[in-house]
Amino acid sequence: MRLDKFLANMGYGSRKDVKTLVKKKRITVNNQIVRKADIHIDPNKDQIMCDDLIIEYKEYIYLMLHKPAGYLSATEDQKQKTVLDLIKKQDKVLEPFPVGRLDKDTEGLLLLTNDGQLAHELLSPKKHVDKTYIAKLARNITDEEVKQFAEGVLLEDGYVTKPARLRTIEDNMVKITITEGKFHQIKRMFEAVDNKVLYLKRLSMGSLYLDKNLDIGEYRELTTEEVSQLSSK
Ligand code: URA
């Protein structure tokens, strides 16, 4: 990997900024001052330092975002705000993208990463990753509907959903767990039984739970433990 790319990826600015650092003799590779920014290094073997600081190599970034309503689950959009607008510049260097979609008006847990393999594993229909939401509904659910959701709901397009767990947590509020991620799935499931979702928030995805300390719009990096638990599914 080129040194300037490595430094840029690790948050040391643009390639131009990196060139300046090199010119000022602030960068060493294996304790040797480097003179050119475009030399090749092995990030897993070489020790790269800026001033007295060892730069640890990081290939992947994993961010847990408490998504607010009003943001698209996309990396860019011509007109509307996207979840990437909530991420600081230095955390965008490794180009994280949202793992799956929450609707624009849905809040809650959204994972952003540049780890394509993990994203694929979490989204693959074959893996049946649990996703739990709380939903505020227009009316209370019936026992019959709990049974119907457990057996599968016939949507307007003829698709029958996989079993979903549904339980009331308070008046007009339910917790629902689904294992798929069809377009507007939860809203369409309730529409199929003549109900309506008024508010929707995702609480968890697989082993990952929305951190209660994250205010709406805030995010943090996943811990190593959270990443390894997610990957081991
Ligand atoms: N189901 C929906 O209807 N919307 C979401 O954002 C997620 C699941």
Side-chain angles (χ1 to χ4, degrees):
M1 178 188 251
R2 272 173 55 152
L3 177 67
D4 49 4
K5 183 166 196 287
F6 170 88
L7 290 167
N9 281 0
M10 293 305 103
Y12 282 77
S14 64
R15 294 226 179 153
K16 200 168 154 229
D17 299 331
V18 166
K19 233 178 169 170
T20 310
L21 285 175
V22 169
K23 231 182 185 163
K24 290 186 174 165
K25 301 189 175 140
R26 292 177 59 191
I27 306 294
T28 59
V29 175
N30 303 326
N31 293 318
Q32 300 283 316
I33 292 174
V34 292
R35 318 231 160 239
K36 289 181 86 182
D38 61 358
I39 59 166
H40 282 262
I41 51 122
D42 181 342
N44 294 310
K45 285 197 191 130
D46 296 322
Q47 187 186 68
I48 322 295
M49 290 174 80
C50 178
D51 302 329
D52 292 332
L53 224 86
I54 296 176
I55 306 169
E56 299 291 349
Y57 179 53
K58 189 166 84 171
E59 191 175 0
Y60 296 118
I61 186 161
Y62 304 90
L63 303 173
M64 172 195 294
L65 170 69
H66 186 164
K67 179 192 175 295
Y71 288 79
L72 293 183
S73 298
T75 48
E76 52 185 16
D77 192 84
Q78 298 275 334
K79 294 196 187 98
Q80 305 188 63
K81 292 180 290 189
T82 77
V83 289
L84 263 297
D85 292 326
L86 297 161
I87 308 299
K88 292 187 205 114
K89 199 170 162 220
Q90 66 260 36
D91 293 322
K92 287 199 270 203
V93 176
L94 292 176
E95 301 180 353
F97 55 85
V99 176
R101 277 160 197 262
L102 288 179
D103 295 338
K104 187 178 169 188
D105 59 354
T106 300
E107 294 179 0
L109 174 68
L110 187 66
L111 172 66
L112 294 108
T113 184
N114 60 341
D115 182 343
Q117 177 63 31
L118 180 71
H120 176 75
E121 300 265 316
L122 290 170
L123 296 175
S124 163
K126 288 186 203 131
K127 300 274 173 176
H128 307 293
V129 174
D130 278 0
K131 284 153 288 239
T132 298
Y133 297 78
I134 47 171
K136 187 172 170 31
L137 303 172
R139 64 163 174 81
N140 278 319
I141 52 166
T142 63
D143 291 346
E144 180 51 37
E145 283 159 0
V146 174
K147 244 174 81 186
Q148 232 177 311
F149 273 54
E151 282 162 9
V153 177
L154 174 65
L155 300 183
E156 83 294 348
D157 59 359
Y159 179 76
V160 179
T161 60
K162 297 262 168 345
R165 295 195 299 276
L166 183 60
R167 74 178 168 92
T168 299
I169 48 173
E170 58 182 80
D171 213 27
N172 288 2
M173 290 277 258
V174 292
K175 228 179 209 185
I176 174 168
T177 303
I178 58 174
T179 60
E180 345 169 63
K182 302 264 177 249
F183 183 64
H184 294 329
Q185 176 153 350
I186 293 178
K187 291 174 185 158
R188 288 161 67 212
M189 287 172 85
F190 283 105
E191 272 162 25
V193 295
D194 287 323
N195 205 337
K196 192 171 166 54
V197 173
L198 305 176
Y199 167 83
L200 191 60
K201 175 177 179 175
R202 181 156 67 189
L203 301 178
S204 66
M205 183 178 198
S207 58
L208 191 65
Y209 286 79
L210 179 64
D211 187 334
K212 290 199 169 69
N213 295 316
L214 282 181
D215 277 339
I216 205 151
E218 287 184 344
Y219 70 93
R220 68 157 169 84
E221 282 204 51
L222 261 56
T223 62
T224 333
E225 201 183 5
E226 284 169 332
V227 175
S228 69
Q229 275 177 359
L230 267 185
S231 321
S232 65
K233 256 228 108 189

PDB file of all heavy atoms in Angstrom, residues 25-53:
ATOM      1  N   LYS A  25       9.549  16.171   7.324  1.00  0.00           N
ATOM      2  CA  LYS A  25      10.307  15.061   7.963  1.00  0.00           C
ATOM      3  C   LYS A  25       9.638  14.561   9.246  1.00  0.00           C
ATOM      4  O   LYS A  25      10.321  14.162  10.187  1.00  0.00           O
ATOM      5  CB  LYS A  25      11.751  15.494   8.243  1.00  0.00           C
ATOM      6  CG  LYS A  25      12.493  15.920   7.000  1.00  0.00           C
ATOM      7  CD  LYS A  25      13.950  16.129   7.305  1.00  0.00           C
ATOM      8  CE  LYS A  25      14.702  16.433   6.039  1.00  0.00           C
ATOM      9  NZ  LYS A  25      15.712  17.428   6.144  1.00  0.00           N
ATOM     10  N   ARG A  26       8.327  14.579   9.254  1.00  0.00           N
ATOM     11  CA  ARG A  26       7.621  14.148  10.472  1.00  0.00           C
ATOM     12  C   ARG A  26       7.211  12.679  10.422  1.00  0.00           C
ATOM     13  O   ARG A  26       6.723  12.135  11.391  1.00  0.00           O
ATOM     14  CB  ARG A  26       6.387  15.045  10.686  1.00  0.00           C
ATOM     15  CG  ARG A  26       6.780  16.476  11.037  1.00  0.00           C
ATOM     16  CD  ARG A  26       5.579  17.363  11.177  1.00  0.00           C
ATOM     17  NE  ARG A  26       4.658  16.917  12.202  1.00  0.00           N
ATOM     18  CZ  ARG A  26       3.427  17.410  12.363  1.00  0.00           C
ATOM     19  NH1 ARG A  26       3.000  18.379  11.572  1.00  0.00           N
ATOM     20  NH2 ARG A  26       2.643  16.944  13.303  1.00  0.00           N
ATOM     21  N   ILE A  27       7.411  12.079   9.249  1.00  0.00           N
ATOM     22  CA  ILE A  27       6.974  10.676   9.100  1.00  0.00           C
ATOM     23  C   ILE A  27       8.193   9.747   9.024  1.00  0.00           C
ATOM     24  O   ILE A  27       9.118   9.991   8.248  1.00  0.00           O
ATOM     25  CB  ILE A  27       6.137  10.507   7.807  1.00  0.00           C
ATOM     26  CG1 ILE A  27       4.962  11.499   7.757  1.00  0.00           C
ATOM     27  CG2 ILE A  27       5.647   9.062   7.652  1.00  0.00           C
ATOM     28  CD1 ILE A  27       3.894  11.295   8.818  1.00  0.00           C
ATOM     29  N   THR A  28       8.144   8.671   9.814  1.00  0.00           N
ATOM     30  CA  THR A  28       9.199   7.652   9.710  1.00  0.00           C
ATOM     31  C   THR A  28       8.570   6.301   9.389  1.00  0.00           C
ATOM     32  O   THR A  28       7.449   6.012   9.795  1.00  0.00           O
ATOM     33  CB  THR A  28      10.003   7.510  11.020  1.00  0.00           C
ATOM     34  OG1 THR A  28       9.118   7.142  12.079  1.00  0.00           O
ATOM     35  CG2 THR A  28      10.749   8.780  11.373  1.00  0.00           C
ATOM     36  N   VAL A  29       9.327   5.502   8.652  1.00  0.00           N
ATOM     37  CA  VAL A  29       8.944   4.107   8.420  1.00  0.00           C
ATOM     38  C   VAL A  29      10.082   3.271   8.979  1.00  0.00           C
ATOM     39  O   VAL A  29      11.238   3.438   8.557  1.00  0.00           O
ATOM     40  CB  VAL A  29       8.729   3.811   6.918  1.00  0.00           C
ATOM     41  CG1 VAL A  29       8.459   2.319   6.698  1.00  0.00           C
ATOM     42  CG2 VAL A  29       7.568   4.628   6.365  1.00  0.00           C
ATOM     43  N   ASN A  30       9.799   2.437   9.941  1.00  0.00           N
ATOM     44  CA  ASN A  30      10.799   1.636  10.651  1.00  0.00           C
ATOM     45  C   ASN A  30      11.966   2.514  11.115  1.00  0.00           C
ATOM     46  O   ASN A  30      13.139   2.203  10.883  1.00  0.00           O
ATOM     47  CB  ASN A  30      11.291   0.483   9.776  1.00  0.00           C
ATOM     48  CG  ASN A  30      10.127  -0.381   9.332  1.00  0.00           C
ATOM     49  OD1 ASN A  30       9.157  -0.550  10.065  1.00  0.00           O
ATOM     50  ND2 ASN A  30      10.199  -0.900   8.115  1.00  0.00           N
ATOM     51  N   ASN A  31      11.591   3.622  11.720  1.00  0.00           N
ATOM     52  CA  ASN A  31      12.546   4.586  12.311  1.00  0.00           C
ATOM     53  C   ASN A  31      13.403   5.347  11.304  1.00  0.00           C
ATOM     54  O   ASN A  31      14.350   6.021  11.705  1.00  0.00           O
ATOM     55  CB  ASN A  31      13.447   3.899  13.345  1.00  0.00           C
ATOM     56  CG  ASN A  31      12.633   3.459  14.551  1.00  0.00           C
ATOM     57  OD1 ASN A  31      11.763   4.208  15.016  1.00  0.00           O
ATOM     58  ND2 ASN A  31      12.868   2.243  15.010  1.00  0.00           N
ATOM     59  N   GLN A  32      13.112   5.238  10.036  1.00  0.00           N
ATOM     60  CA  GLN A  32      13.838   5.994   9.015  1.00  0.00           C
ATOM     61  C   GLN A  32      12.946   7.127   8.511  1.00  0.00           C
ATOM     62  O   GLN A  32      11.793   6.866   8.150  1.00  0.00           O
ATOM     63  CB  GLN A  32      14.157   5.101   7.798  1.00  0.00           C
ATOM     64  CG  GLN A  32      15.006   3.894   8.093  1.00  0.00           C
ATOM     65  CD  GLN A  32      16.463   4.253   8.254  1.00  0.00           C
ATOM     66  OE1 GLN A  32      17.000   5.031   7.464  1.00  0.00           O
ATOM     67  NE2 GLN A  32      17.087   3.722   9.289  1.00  0.00           N
ATOM     68  N   ILE A  33      13.480   8.326   8.518  1.00  0.00           N
ATOM     69  CA  ILE A  33      12.687   9.443   7.983  1.00  0.00           C
ATOM     70  C   ILE A  33      12.444   9.199   6.498  1.00  0.00           C
ATOM     71  O   ILE A  33      13.378   8.836   5.766  1.00  0.00           O
ATOM     72  CB  ILE A  33      13.433  10.784   8.172  1.00  0.00           C
ATOM     73  CG1 ILE A  33      13.507  11.108   9.664  1.00  0.00           C
ATOM     74  CG2 ILE A  33      12.738  11.912   7.410  1.00  0.00           C
ATOM     75  CD1 ILE A  33      14.333  12.322  10.011  1.00  0.00           C
ATOM     76  N   VAL A  34      11.196   9.358   6.075  1.00  0.00           N
ATOM     77  CA  VAL A  34      10.925   9.142   4.647  1.00  0.00           C
ATOM     78  C   VAL A  34      10.957  10.465   3.898  1.00  0.00           C
ATOM     79  O   VAL A  34      10.660  11.523   4.449  1.00  0.00           O
ATOM     80  CB  VAL A  34       9.580   8.408   4.393  1.00  0.00           C
ATOM     81  CG1 VAL A  34       9.628   6.989   4.878  1.00  0.00           C
ATOM     82  CG2 VAL A  34       8.420   9.143   5.015  1.00  0.00           C
ATOM     83  N   ARG A  35      11.339  10.369   2.622  1.00  0.00           N
ATOM     84  CA  ARG A  35      11.488  11.595   1.819  1.00  0.00           C
ATOM     85  C   ARG A  35      10.408  11.695   0.752  1.00  0.00           C
ATOM     86  O   ARG A  35      10.187  12.739   0.188  1.00  0.00           O
ATOM     87  CB  ARG A  35      12.857  11.624   1.114  1.00  0.00           C
ATOM     88  CG  ARG A  35      13.970  11.159   2.012  1.00  0.00           C
ATOM     89  CD  ARG A  35      15.142  12.145   2.042  1.00  0.00           C
ATOM     90  NE  ARG A  35      15.952  11.912   3.223  1.00  0.00           N
ATOM     91  CZ  ARG A  35      16.194  12.804   4.169  1.00  0.00           C
ATOM     92  NH1 ARG A  35      15.692  14.011   4.080  1.00  0.00           N
ATOM     93  NH2 ARG A  35      16.934  12.509   5.206  1.00  0.00           N
ATOM     94  N   LYS A  36       9.763  10.539   0.505  1.00  0.00           N
ATOM     95  CA  LYS A  36       8.729  10.555  -0.546  1.00  0.00           C
ATOM     96  C   LYS A  36       7.442   9.944  -0.009  1.00  0.00           C
ATOM     97  O   LYS A  36       7.482   8.926   0.708  1.00  0.00           O
ATOM     98  CB  LYS A  36       9.215   9.761  -1.776  1.00  0.00           C
ATOM     99  CG  LYS A  36      10.309  10.471  -2.529  1.00  0.00           C
ATOM    100  CD  LYS A  36      10.740   9.666  -3.725  1.00  0.00           C
ATOM    101  CE  LYS A  36       9.846   9.961  -4.920  1.00  0.00           C
ATOM    102  NZ  LYS A  36      10.195   9.165  -6.088  1.00  0.00           N
ATOM    103  N   ALA A  37       6.331  10.573  -0.379  1.00  0.00           N
ATOM    104  CA  ALA A  37       5.032  10.130   0.153  1.00  0.00           C
ATOM    105  C   ALA A  37       4.463   8.939  -0.604  1.00  0.00           C
ATOM    106  O   ALA A  37       3.555   8.273  -0.127  1.00  0.00           O
ATOM    107  CB  ALA A  37       4.048  11.288   0.108  1.00  0.00           C
ATOM    108  N   ASP A  38       5.009   8.671  -1.793  1.00  0.00           N
ATOM    109  CA  ASP A  38       4.386   7.620  -2.616  1.00  0.00           C
ATOM    110  C   ASP A  38       5.113   6.275  -2.529  1.00  0.00           C
ATOM    111  O   ASP A  38       4.874   5.396  -3.349  1.00  0.00           O
ATOM    112  CB  ASP A  38       4.255   8.086  -4.073  1.00  0.00           C
ATOM    113  CG  ASP A  38       5.596   8.388  -4.702  1.00  0.00           C
ATOM    114  OD1 ASP A  38       6.627   8.276  -3.984  1.00  0.00           O
ATOM    115  OD2 ASP A  38       5.635   8.735  -5.891  1.00  0.00           O
ATOM    116  N   ILE A  39       5.984   6.120  -1.514  1.00  0.00           N
ATOM    117  CA  ILE A  39       6.662   4.817  -1.386  1.00  0.00           C
ATOM    118  C   ILE A  39       5.662   3.743  -0.933  1.00  0.00           C
ATOM    119  O   ILE A  39       4.599   4.070  -0.383  1.00  0.00           O
ATOM    120  CB  ILE A  39       7.846   4.860  -0.384  1.00  0.00           C
ATOM    121  CG1 ILE A  39       7.342   5.293   1.001  1.00  0.00           C
ATOM    122  CG2 ILE A  39       8.970   5.743  -0.886  1.00  0.00           C
ATOM    123  CD1 ILE A  39       8.336   5.044   2.103  1.00  0.00           C
ATOM    124  N   HIS A  40       6.025   2.513  -1.171  1.00  0.00           N
ATOM    125  CA  HIS A  40       5.130   1.418  -0.780  1.00  0.00           C
ATOM    126  C   HIS A  40       5.517   0.887   0.593  1.00  0.00           C
ATOM    127  O   HIS A  40       6.695   0.728   0.882  1.00  0.00           O
ATOM    128  CB  HIS A  40       5.163   0.298  -1.825  1.00  0.00           C
ATOM    129  CG  HIS A  40       4.333   0.674  -3.011  1.00  0.00           C
ATOM    130  ND1 HIS A  40       3.042   0.240  -3.169  1.00  0.00           N
ATOM    131  CD2 HIS A  40       4.600   1.491  -4.050  1.00  0.00           C
ATOM    132  CE1 HIS A  40       2.561   0.775  -4.267  1.00  0.00           C
ATOM    133  NE2 HIS A  40       3.475   1.532  -4.830  1.00  0.00           N
ATOM    134  N   ILE A  41       4.509   0.635   1.404  1.00  0.00           N
ATOM    135  CA  ILE A  41       4.768   0.079   2.737  1.00  0.00           C
ATOM    136  C   ILE A  41       3.833  -1.118   2.942  1.00  0.00           C
ATOM    137  O   ILE A  41       2.835  -1.267   2.225  1.00  0.00           O
ATOM    138  CB  ILE A  41       4.501   1.134   3.843  1.00  0.00           C
ATOM    139  CG1 ILE A  41       3.103   1.771   3.661  1.00  0.00           C
ATOM    140  CG2 ILE A  41       5.559   2.219   3.858  1.00  0.00           C
ATOM    141  CD1 ILE A  41       2.230   1.618   4.824  1.00  0.00           C
ATOM    142  N   ASP A  42       4.194  -1.931   3.923  1.00  0.00           N
ATOM    143  CA  ASP A  42       3.303  -3.028   4.301  1.00  0.00           C
ATOM    144  C   ASP A  42       2.703  -2.656   5.658  1.00  0.00           C
ATOM    145  O   ASP A  42       3.397  -2.714   6.680  1.00  0.00           O
ATOM    146  CB  ASP A  42       4.103  -4.338   4.401  1.00  0.00           C
ATOM    147  CG  ASP A  42       3.203  -5.512   4.770  1.00  0.00           C
ATOM    148  OD1 ASP A  42       2.082  -5.267   5.272  1.00  0.00           O
ATOM    149  OD2 ASP A  42       3.618  -6.659   4.565  1.00  0.00           O
ATOM    150  N   PRO A  43       1.435  -2.268   5.672  1.00  0.00           N
ATOM    151  CA  PRO A  43       0.846  -1.765   6.919  1.00  0.00           C
ATOM    152  C   PRO A  43       0.838  -2.795   8.037  1.00  0.00           C
ATOM    153  O   PRO A  43       0.754  -2.441   9.209  1.00  0.00           O
ATOM    154  CB  PRO A  43      -0.583  -1.377   6.522  1.00  0.00           C
ATOM    155  CG  PRO A  43      -0.838  -1.986   5.207  1.00  0.00           C
ATOM    156  CD  PRO A  43       0.479  -2.286   4.564  1.00  0.00           C
ATOM    157  N   ASN A  44       0.929  -4.085   7.674  1.00  0.00           N
ATOM    158  CA  ASN A  44       0.926  -5.117   8.715  1.00  0.00           C
ATOM    159  C   ASN A  44       2.326  -5.405   9.274  1.00  0.00           C
ATOM    160  O   ASN A  44       2.450  -6.048  10.308  1.00  0.00           O
ATOM    161  CB  ASN A  44       0.319  -6.414   8.177  1.00  0.00           C
ATOM    162  CG  ASN A  44      -1.150  -6.221   7.849  1.00  0.00           C
ATOM    163  OD1 ASN A  44      -1.899  -5.712   8.678  1.00  0.00           O
ATOM    164  ND2 ASN A  44      -1.538  -6.579   6.638  1.00  0.00           N
ATOM    165  N   LYS A  45       3.354  -4.956   8.566  1.00  0.00           N
ATOM    166  CA  LYS A  45       4.721  -5.276   9.021  1.00  0.00           C
ATOM    167  C   LYS A  45       5.513  -4.033   9.402  1.00  0.00           C
ATOM    168  O   LYS A  45       6.256  -4.033  10.381  1.00  0.00           O
ATOM    169  CB  LYS A  45       5.462  -6.008   7.894  1.00  0.00           C
ATOM    170  CG  LYS A  45       5.016  -7.443   7.727  1.00  0.00           C
ATOM    171  CD  LYS A  45       6.040  -8.233   6.924  1.00  0.00           C
ATOM    172  CE  LYS A  45       5.493  -9.582   6.509  1.00  0.00           C
ATOM    173  NZ  LYS A  45       5.692  -9.824   5.070  1.00  0.00           N
ATOM    174  N   ASP A  46       5.389  -2.988   8.594  1.00  0.00           N
ATOM    175  CA  ASP A  46       6.203  -1.793   8.836  1.00  0.00           C
ATOM    176  C   ASP A  46       5.637  -0.958   9.976  1.00  0.00           C
ATOM    177  O   ASP A  46       4.424  -0.915  10.177  1.00  0.00           O
ATOM    178  CB  ASP A  46       6.264  -0.946   7.553  1.00  0.00           C
ATOM    179  CG  ASP A  46       6.969  -1.684   6.426  1.00  0.00           C
ATOM    180  OD1 ASP A  46       7.955  -2.394   6.722  1.00  0.00           O
ATOM    181  OD2 ASP A  46       6.523  -1.566   5.268  1.00  0.00           O
ATOM    182  N   GLN A  47       6.564  -0.309  10.696  1.00  0.00           N
ATOM    183  CA  GLN A  47       6.100   0.590  11.755  1.00  0.00           C
ATOM    184  C   GLN A  47       6.136   2.030  11.242  1.00  0.00           C
ATOM    185  O   GLN A  47       7.196   2.567  10.929  1.00  0.00           O
ATOM    186  CB  GLN A  47       6.994   0.467  12.988  1.00  0.00           C
ATOM    187  CG  GLN A  47       6.422   1.260  14.148  1.00  0.00           C
ATOM    188  CD  GLN A  47       7.359   1.286  15.336  1.00  0.00           C
ATOM    189  OE1 GLN A  47       8.423   1.884  15.300  1.00  0.00           O
ATOM    190  NE2 GLN A  47       6.953   0.618  16.386  1.00  0.00           N
ATOM    191  N   ILE A  48       4.958   2.599  11.136  1.00  0.00           N
ATOM    192  CA  ILE A  48       4.845   3.965  10.614  1.00  0.00           C
ATOM    193  C   ILE A  48       4.612   4.895  11.799  1.00  0.00           C
ATOM    194  O   ILE A  48       3.748   4.618  12.646  1.00  0.00           O
ATOM    195  CB  ILE A  48       3.640   4.107   9.640  1.00  0.00           C
ATOM    196  CG1 ILE A  48       3.464   2.868   8.748  1.00  0.00           C
ATOM    197  CG2 ILE A  48       3.730   5.394   8.821  1.00  0.00           C
ATOM    198  CD1 ILE A  48       4.534   2.579   7.779  1.00  0.00           C
ATOM    199  N   MET A  49       5.383   5.988  11.840  1.00  0.00           N
ATOM    200  CA  MET A  49       5.184   6.941  12.929  1.00  0.00           C
ATOM    201  C   MET A  49       5.051   8.358  12.392  1.00  0.00           C
ATOM    202  O   MET A  49       5.653   8.707  11.372  1.00  0.00           O
ATOM    203  CB  MET A  49       6.366   6.889  13.902  1.00  0.00           C
ATOM    204  CG  MET A  49       6.418   5.608  14.701  1.00  0.00           C
ATOM    205  SD  MET A  49       7.899   5.482  15.710  1.00  0.00           S
ATOM    206  CE  MET A  49       7.492   6.487  17.109  1.00  0.00           C
ATOM    207  N   CYS A  50       4.252   9.149  13.106  1.00  0.00           N
ATOM    208  CA  CYS A  50       4.200  10.579  12.830  1.00  0.00           C
ATOM    209  C   CYS A  50       4.684  11.234  14.111  1.00  0.00           C
ATOM    210  O   CYS A  50       4.100  11.022  15.181  1.00  0.00           O
ATOM    211  CB  CYS A  50       2.787  11.031  12.488  1.00  0.00           C
ATOM    212  SG  CYS A  50       2.706  12.805  12.210  1.00  0.00           S
ATOM    213  N   ASP A  51       5.728  12.032  14.018  1.00  0.00           N
ATOM    214  CA  ASP A  51       6.417  12.550  15.210  1.00  0.00           C
ATOM    215  C   ASP A  51       6.740  11.357  16.109  1.00  0.00           C
ATOM    216  O   ASP A  51       7.379  10.434  15.635  1.00  0.00           O
ATOM    217  CB  ASP A  51       5.559  13.616  15.902  1.00  0.00           C
ATOM    218  CG  ASP A  51       5.240  14.770  14.940  1.00  0.00           C
ATOM    219  OD1 ASP A  51       6.082  15.049  14.064  1.00  0.00           O
ATOM    220  OD2 ASP A  51       4.150  15.361  15.049  1.00  0.00           O
ATOM    221  N   ASP A  52       6.247  11.356  17.348  1.00  0.00           N
ATOM    222  CA  ASP A  52       6.606  10.227  18.224  1.00  0.00           C
ATOM    223  C   ASP A  52       5.482   9.204  18.340  1.00  0.00           C
ATOM    224  O   ASP A  52       5.504   8.343  19.211  1.00  0.00           O
ATOM    225  CB  ASP A  52       6.945  10.744  19.627  1.00  0.00           C
ATOM    226  CG  ASP A  52       8.223  11.547  19.607  1.00  0.00           C
ATOM    227  OD1 ASP A  52       9.074  11.276  18.723  1.00  0.00           O
ATOM    228  OD2 ASP A  52       8.350  12.468  20.426  1.00  0.00           O
ATOM    229  N   LEU A  53       4.500   9.308  17.465  1.00  0.00           N
ATOM    230  CA  LEU A  53       3.294   8.491  17.609  1.00  0.00           C
ATOM    231  C   LEU A  53       3.252   7.345  16.598  1.00  0.00           C
ATOM    232  O   LEU A  53       3.326   7.587  15.385  1.00  0.00           O
ATOM    233  CB  LEU A  53       2.093   9.411  17.362  1.00  0.00           C
ATOM    234  CG  LEU A  53       0.965   9.240  18.353  1.00  0.00           C
ATOM    235  CD1 LEU A  53       1.229  10.107  19.574  1.00  0.00           C
ATOM    236  CD2 LEU A  53      -0.350   9.636  17.714  1.00  0.00           C
TER     237      LEU A  53
END
